[in-house]
Amino acid sequence: MALLPILVYPDPRLHTVAKPVAAVDDRIRALVKDMLETMYDANGIGLAATQVDVHERLIVIDTSEERDEPMVLINPELTWASEEVQVGDEGCLSVPGIYDGVERSSAIRVQALDEHGQSREIAAEGLLAVCIQHEMDHLRGKVFVEYLSPLKRNRIKTKMLKARRETTERV
């Protein structure tokens, strides 16, 4: 297993629309392991392949307290979303240190394949529902800051670019 570099906003590759996974094979299973290791190492609860510069429809999630219930969603499709919404502070491994309110459906159902290629339907609510919707946005090339006002988005972009410059200067 290996830690993968996580793309940081405003990297243009984060806006790439992911293609469907053609086959759930050893390459995909190895990617799943690497993505889980990367997510856990970064203290995240979700990671989309897009965030590690692999533009295929693959998500890993673990919202458990013990961090021992990984979930793999390959080629996820939203099949239902509640009309009831909730606004919660979201953060993102690709936008480190930034949290802001985003409106999401409070309950959803998703159809996806697992790491063995088995089809499954997941009914989710609360944090898991928010996390799945957030990660599925990444597969569509959308970062959560795009739900914010243009002013907030520009401030975040400036802050991320400044942090990147400072990191580069130190190296």
Side-chain angles (χ1 to χ4, degrees):
M1 295 199 301
L3 290 178
L4 304 170
I6 298 172
L7 300 178
V8 176
Y9 181 81
D11 192 307
R13 293 172 290 180
L14 288 168
H15 299 294
T16 305
V17 176
K19 305 225 178 321
V21 171
V24 181
D25 53 18
D26 288 342
R27 179 186 68 85
I28 291 297
R29 283 185 280 279
L31 177 59
V32 164
K33 286 179 181 167
D34 290 346
M35 285 176 61
L36 284 167
E37 183 179 350
T38 301
M39 178 188 75
Y40 289 132
D41 183 72
N43 292 317
I45 61 170
L47 186 67
T50 301
Q51 293 175 272
V52 294
D53 204 20
V54 176
H55 303 286
E56 295 181 79
R57 295 184 54 78
L58 168 59
I59 294 169
V60 296
I61 292 173
D62 189 344
T63 58
S64 70
E65 286 289 322
E66 296 77 28
R67 315 293 286 137
D68 61 354
E69 297 175 29
M71 179 182 294
V72 176
L73 303 176
I74 298 170
N75 297 334
E77 295 297 332
L78 194 65
T79 58
W80 175 83
S82 67
E83 289 183 22
E84 181 185 329
V85 295
Q86 62 187 38
V87 176
D89 269 358
E90 289 187 26
C92 180
L93 295 177
S94 290
V95 193
I98 303 294
Y99 300 87
D100 212 318
V102 176
E103 186 176 277
R104 303 270 187 195
S105 293
S106 56
I108 60 167
R109 276 196 291 276
V110 176
Q111 188 77 36
L113 300 176
D114 66 15
E115 66 272 29
H116 307 292
Q118 300 298 310
S119 181
R120 59 189 294 195
E121 183 173 62
I122 294 129
E125 56 186 31
L127 179 61
L128 180 57
V130 168
C131 188
I132 291 171
Q133 291 170 85
H134 176 109
E135 300 307 332
M136 286 182 70
D137 274 353
H138 279 299
L139 300 181
R140 290 189 289 273
K142 189 169 188 173
V143 181
F144 90 97
V145 297
E146 293 172 49
Y147 289 101
L148 308 178
S149 71
L151 177 63
K152 279 186 178 181
R153 200 169 42 248
N154 283 332
R155 282 184 178 158
I156 292 167
K157 185 176 186 178
T158 300
K159 185 175 183 175
M160 295 292 111
L161 289 170
K162 182 179 179 198
R164 184 186 309 159
R165 273 194 310 276
E166 288 172 355
T167 303
T168 305
E169 289 170 4
R170 274 188 255 135
V171 173

